[in-house]
Amino acid sequence: GDCENSICYQQIIKEELATLSNSQQFFEFSKCAKSWAEQIRNKKNPAAPLEQRQAAIQILIHSCTTVMDLDLVIGFLNQETLLLETAPNYLNNIILKELANISSTISNAPHHAQSILDYLEKNELSSSSSYNYVMEAWKNCASESMNNKAFRAQAVYDRMVAKKISPDSNALTLLIHLWGASSRGDAAFRATGHLLTLEKKYLEQEKAIQQEATAINIPLEESVHEEDPPCTATRSFHITVKEYEAVLHAWACCNETWNAPKRASIILRKMEQWHSRGILPFEPSVGCYRALLNTWKRCDGKDRYEAAVQASEIMSRMLQRFDDSGQPPPDATCFSTALSIMSHSSKRGMALKTQYFLQRMEQLSSMPSDTNMNVIELLE
């Protein structure tokens, strides 16, 4: 308690934590920590307590190994000692961040995060970061199914929107990936909806950057590609090929087999067009084409003939990309899925196309590299 330096306080706590072996010892330590925190609160320097309190929060939460440990710590932190006198929003967000980090190992962490969010909303202290950390806690929760993770995170997102707090890139990306991995009936629709929102924000951002670059005569290439562009507009919304893969995967698992292929095709075509126009800095990945093929594979009845045509066109586009610009060729799954789809068609010329794809697969197998080892495995 005599140490004036926050680093000394952190070291003392770390040494004490290293001696703890059970929850009873942890409870005894929490009483000591409360006394220590009161000493920090009574110090004259108003800037030091905030830094030291943040260190205490991080160390205390990270020291938890059981549900009981976390209950004790949250009970301690919820007292006025650390939270309510100075920067309550900031310190509560620190707690939310740490709870998100440990939620993969301690099952009640997301529930505590949810309770803290309730407190922040009640006192008009919630921010986009608050909601993001709670959504992250649900995403990391090992005790919840993927369906429940997506549902819980979506509920937090809806609360944020109801508070008229604009979601950022992190929130939208998190939900895209959660719904993309969910098996709920509405997962594909929800993932697509969040992708469309992210695309809209991304396009508005890029348009603002282009307009500013044009106004001050900066080459557009520089404003898009340089790490530190001269224009003042910033990129707070980011989109990657992983988001598109997640959405296309959701459509590949969707129960609406009659609708999913067409919706997925629209998304992939848009990716190709936006890349050719310089809107997206990346082309569709092999994973994107693979997911699209899987949507067509699930077609039945008369749709199988259309699926065979589409599978042939998809493979042709992938091979053309490889031939023209050295993009990764179709992988083993793409070849096997496309050939399986095409085998159901009796359309004239389909047998010749099937034979052509088999030849290309053999050709790729004779050129060993990281991109076609899986094709070799398929042939073997």
Side-chain angles (χ1 to χ4, degrees), residues 258-273:
W258 59 273
N259 193 28
K262 296 177 182 178
R263 287 182 174 268
S265 297
I266 291 172
I267 293 171
L268 196 137
R269 278 294 188 184
K270 179 172 61 176
M271 289 181 70
E272 293 175 334
Q273 293 170 4

Side-chain angles (χ1 to χ4, degrees), residues 122-135:
K122 180 180 178 181
N123 292 277
E124 300 296 331
L125 295 170
S126 56
S127 64
S128 61
S129 296
S130 308
Y131 294 96
N132 286 355
Y133 290 138
V134 179
M135 285 191 285

Side-chain angles (χ1 to χ4, degrees), residues 25-42:
Q25 287 180 321
F26 191 91
F27 177 73
E28 294 298 326
F29 174 68
S30 71
K31 292 191 296 185
C32 297
K34 180 178 179 180
S35 175
W36 163 81
E38 288 172 347
Q39 293 179 38
I40 291 179
R41 182 183 60 181
N42 294 327

Side-chain angles (χ1 to χ4, degrees), residues 169-182:
S169 184
N170 292 332
L172 293 168
T173 299
L174 181 146
L175 286 169
I176 288 170
H177 287 279
L178 281 179
W179 285 117
S182 171

